[in-house]
Amino acid sequence: MSKQKEELEHRLKLRNIKHSDFNDIRGIMVSAYKTQGMTWTKEEFKNQLNAFPEGQICLEDNGKVVAVALSLIVDYAKYGDNHTYDQITGYGKFDTHDEEGDTLYGTDVFVDKEYRGLRLGRRLYDARKELCENLNLRSIIAGGRIPGYNKYADQMSPRKYIELVKNKEIFDPVLSFQLANEFHVRKVITKYLPEDTDSRAYATLLEWINIYYEKEEKLIGNKKTIVRLGLVQWKMRRFNDVDDLMQQVEFFVDTVSDYKSDFCLFPEFFNAPLLAEFNKMDASEAIRNLAEYTEEIVNRMRDLALSYNVNIIAGSMPEYDGKKLRNVSYLCRRDGTMDKQYKLHITPDEQSYWGLQGGNGIKVFDTDAGKVGILICYDIEFPELSRILAEKEMDILFVPFWTDTKNAYLRVSTCAKSRAIENECYVAITGSVGNLPRVENMDIQHSQAAIYSPSDFSFPHDAIIAEASLNTETTIVADVDLDLLTKLRKAGSVRNLAQRRLDLYSIQWKNKR
């Protein structure tokens, strides 16, 4: 065989890309794309290989790379359909790659101009499909350029152009190829690649479904997406002692647990009826004596959380360490662990009557049914606190409250509904009803427990999931869907968290302790 004939023979090999391939690949990209902004730098190329080497595929011919397909794995729900190329690739760093994700995302396919017509792109697409099946991923998704649109942009919309390409009335060098490879167009994306002038910055969102995909589920202990909330609207009544109080507490825990609830929320100062024992004392002295019951009540509620298999937010109770009197809510998890959240803002009345002081910290609590926050009553009226919790990926905010009048209640409930919309989370509130004669500063109650949601198509039109009867002792039990929050944050009609102008403003927690 002559040397000239050997040089004309192709020796194609499909393999994963190596770091030493950069110069070959760079050369193909420069010739394939008109603008340097659409080509990878050496550092970006290195990051891509380090993040997901199995997903970077090439065809070589006689030792030279002639066609390339790049990809990464993402948890697609985090991005939704309205993403940009930079967002989903981490601006080329591929730090968005998630080994636990469910979708193979195709970031690039390009072929050396001298090898066009040999259907090398089809081989790369087939390799991607094989990778998707072997990794048991749900689908392949890609943002596809429509470079042919530039010729028709003054005549028709991108949607019309795509329709004509589908009907083979128009040929598009990218979209026609993708449609021929079993991809379907989910939607049109705008500003996907702003520098892509041929496509006028439009792109098609394409998907290939892996029909062999099998969702992997644990037999037990799966992460919950549907969470059931149980709220106790508590009636203030005279109790003889702690045992008497706890008998009523257990009744409600048992009731909520029977409905397989994941959480049981009690109101602020639900143990206030025990103040009647200290009627003859000054109000500030009486509440400090009430604080002596807190440890026993918390321990017994922790035992109830274990025995009834429900996470209990133990309303709030006074805590006194001999120096500071504070208002604290306990989270008693059903695994036996506990956390607590202090009330940060003290009302003038609470300070004047009791000498309460505010706490100094705030946190999001991990549970087996999502990330939760707790704000006690007045704290919900300070939007900065909820925003800080939202920035820590809170799913559900619990607000135990005590209000005496309708206007006080409406301050809490209106602010709570606003916090749900602003922070794209669920907010559950509950208070107490009834009267406590001869208990100073806790004599009358007004409440309507409720669960609020964001306001968008996937949620109730009035952002109210459930409401209790007004001023009646009762419970409400309702489900909230955490997956809907994920969808909202990435693809909602409005995106309050994602679209904050952080270049103009921010909220900073100053206490570093």
Side-chain angles (χ1 to χ4, degrees):
M1 184 183 296
S2 67
K3 183 177 181 181
Q4 183 179 8
K5 188 175 181 180
E6 286 181 359
E7 290 175 351
L8 292 174
E9 285 185 343
H10 293 297
R11 290 186 174 86
L12 292 176
K13 180 182 179 182
L14 180 71
R15 62 171 173 83
N16 288 113
I17 294 171
K18 300 178 292 189
H19 288 278
S20 58
D21 295 323
F22 176 72
N23 290 334
D24 284 349
I25 293 173
R26 176 74 174 178
I28 303 172
M29 291 192 76
V30 169
S31 65
Y33 298 133
K34 291 183 178 180
T35 63
Q36 291 295 310
M38 294 174 65
T39 62
W40 299 112
T41 66
K42 191 168 187 176
E43 186 64 26
E44 290 169 338
F45 176 74
K46 179 181 176 182
N47 289 337
Q48 292 162 10
L49 290 188
N50 290 341
F52 183 35
E54 299 85 356
Q56 320 317 322
I57 303 166
C58 71
L59 280 164
E60 69 167 39
D61 185 24
N62 290 306
K64 178 186 176 183
V65 175
V66 296
V68 173
L70 307 176
S71 61
L72 68 160
I73 299 173
V74 296
D75 180 354
Y76 193 71
K78 291 182 178 180
Y79 300 93
D81 287 348
N82 295 316
H83 58 268
T84 67
Y85 188 75
D86 284 339
Q87 286 171 343
I88 208 152
T89 64
Y91 292 87
K93 297 189 295 292
F94 274 34
D95 55 5
T96 52
H97 174 69
D98 182 356
E99 291 184 357
E100 301 299 318
D102 62 352
T103 301
L104 186 68
Y105 195 92
T107 62
D108 247 323
V109 172
F110 43 88
V111 178
D112 191 312
K113 287 184 177 180
E114 295 183 7
Y115 285 78
R116 303 221 176 135
L118 296 180
R119 299 190 176 185
L120 300 189
R122 184 180 295 275
R123 296 196 193 197
L124 293 174
Y125 268 53
D126 287 344
R128 265 190 186 161
K129 293 173 184 176
E130 182 182 2
L131 180 65
C132 182
E133 291 172 357
N134 289 339
L135 292 175
N136 191 36
L137 298 174
R138 182 180 58 81
S139 66
I140 302 173
I141 288 182
R145 299 173 61 231
I146 44 174
Y149 179 60
N150 194 43
K151 299 177 183 178
Y152 300 89
D154 296 333
Q155 307 170 35
M156 63 187 72
S157 67
R159 188 175 299 277
K160 181 64 175 178
Y161 175 80
I162 292 168
E163 181 183 340
L164 292 175
V165 173
K166 284 182 179 179
N167 295 334
K168 302 188 184 298
E169 299 291 338
I170 295 174
F171 175 80
D172 184 276
V174 176
L175 180 56
S176 296
F177 167 76
Q178 291 164 329
L179 294 174
N181 279 275
E182 302 174 321
F183 280 75
H184 69 273
V185 178
R186 285 171 62 122
K187 66 175 296 181
V188 179
I189 312 176
T190 59
K191 300 180 181 179
Y192 181 69
L193 270 172
E195 62 269 30
D196 183 9
T197 55
D198 284 346
S199 304
R200 297 291 181 97
Y202 289 105
T204 55
L205 187 69
L206 299 135
E207 183 173 31
W208 175 83
I209 302 294
N210 175 15
I211 62 173
Y212 302 108
Y213 172 65
E214 294 182 2
K215 187 174 181 180
E216 295 180 356
E217 296 184 352
K218 299 177 183 177
L219 295 178
I220 58 172
N222 280 308
K223 178 183 176 182
K224 282 183 170 288
T225 56
I226 304 297
V227 176
R228 184 160 294 175
L229 309 183
L231 281 57
V232 177
Q233 187 158 273
W234 173 265
K235 183 178 180 180
M236 292 294 193
R237 55 167 67 81
R238 292 293 293 267
F239 294 108
N240 296 322
D241 50 30
V242 173
D243 287 339
D244 200 13
L245 173 83
M246 291 307 299
Q247 183 177 13
Q248 189 67 16
V249 167
E250 184 170 3
F251 165 77
F252 280 115
V253 172
D254 185 12
T255 299
V256 168
S257 175
D258 280 346
Y259 291 106
K260 309 298 182 186
S261 296
D262 296 294
F263 291 98
C264 180
L265 173 65
F266 283 86
E268 179 182 26
F269 285 135
F270 70 96
N271 65 335
L274 297 178
L275 278 169
E277 182 181 343
F278 312 111
N279 271 343
K280 296 180 181 179
M281 298 180 182
D282 176 81
S284 61
E285 185 181 1
I287 199 164
R288 283 163 174 77
N289 277 272
L290 178 65
E292 294 180 5
Y293 292 125
T294 295
E295 183 176 358
E296 179 184 355
I297 294 172
V298 170
N299 288 335
R300 292 176 69 166
M301 294 190 86
R302 179 192 58 194
D303 292 341
L304 291 176
L306 281 167
S307 58
Y308 285 97
N309 191 29
V310 60
N311 299 298
I312 299 175
I313 291 87
S316 82
M317 291 171 276
E319 177 189 272
Y320 183 56
D321 63 3
K323 296 180 180 179
K324 289 184 178 180
L325 176 69
R326 292 185 289 190
N327 187 356
V328 61
S329 178
Y330 284 86
L331 166 62
C332 302
R333 297 184 184 89
R334 53 186 164 195
D335 66 2
T337 60
M338 291 198 305
D339 263 307
K340 62 183 177 180
Q341 174 65 58
Y342 289 104
K343 187 172 185 176
L344 304 187
H345 296 88
I346 305 303
T347 67
D349 189 66
E350 291 168 334
Q351 201 283 325
S352 173
Y353 269 91
W354 295 328
L356 272 171
Q357 298 184 48
N360 297 312
I362 192 170
K363 66 180 291 188
V364 168
F365 305 103
D366 288 314
T367 74
D368 59 2
K371 293 178 177 290
V372 308
I374 303 171
L375 293 179
I376 303 172
C377 198
Y378 192 32
D379 282 342
I380 195 63
E381 299 178 33
F382 296 83
E384 300 88 347
L385 298 181
S386 301
R387 180 50 52 86
I388 289 168
L389 293 173
E391 289 175 343
K392 297 179 180 180
E393 301 182 340
M394 172 186 66
D395 299 308
I396 306 168
L397 177 59
F398 291 100
V399 183
F401 69 87
W402 168 75
T403 53
D404 53 353
T405 61
K406 184 175 182 178
N407 61 306
Y409 163 75
L410 288 175
R411 284 197 302 268
V412 171
S413 60
T414 303
C415 288
K417 186 185 288 189
S418 298
R419 302 300 88 86
I421 294 170
E422 295 164 355
N423 299 297
E424 298 171 339
C425 65
Y426 297 105
V427 180
I429 69 170
T430 196
S432 52
V433 301
N435 306 301
L436 280 178
R438 296 187 299 152
V439 175
E440 189 176 359
N441 206 39
M442 294 290 292
D443 45 357
I444 59 173
Q445 327 287 322
H446 187 101
S447 174
Q448 186 173 26
I451 301 171
Y452 301 123
S453 74
S455 181
D456 211 332
F457 297 116
S458 298
F459 303 93
H461 71 277
D462 57 0
I464 301 173
I465 291 177
E467 276 184 322
S469 299
L470 179 66
N471 286 332
T472 301
E473 184 172 48
T474 187
T475 62
I476 56 174
V477 178
D479 290 342
V480 296
D481 188 339
L482 303 188
D483 279 350
L484 291 180
L485 298 181
T486 301
K487 180 180 178 182
L488 173 73
R489 290 163 185 168
K490 296 299 179 182
S493 300
V494 293
R495 277 153 258 172
N496 298 80
L497 288 178
Q499 295 182 318
R500 287 170 294 155
R501 288 292 303 276
L502 297 180
D503 57 323
L504 300 179
Y505 57 84
S506 64
I507 295 174
Q508 181 182 1
W509 183 261
K510 292 183 177 181
N511 190 345
K512 303 299 182 182
R513 291 186 295 171

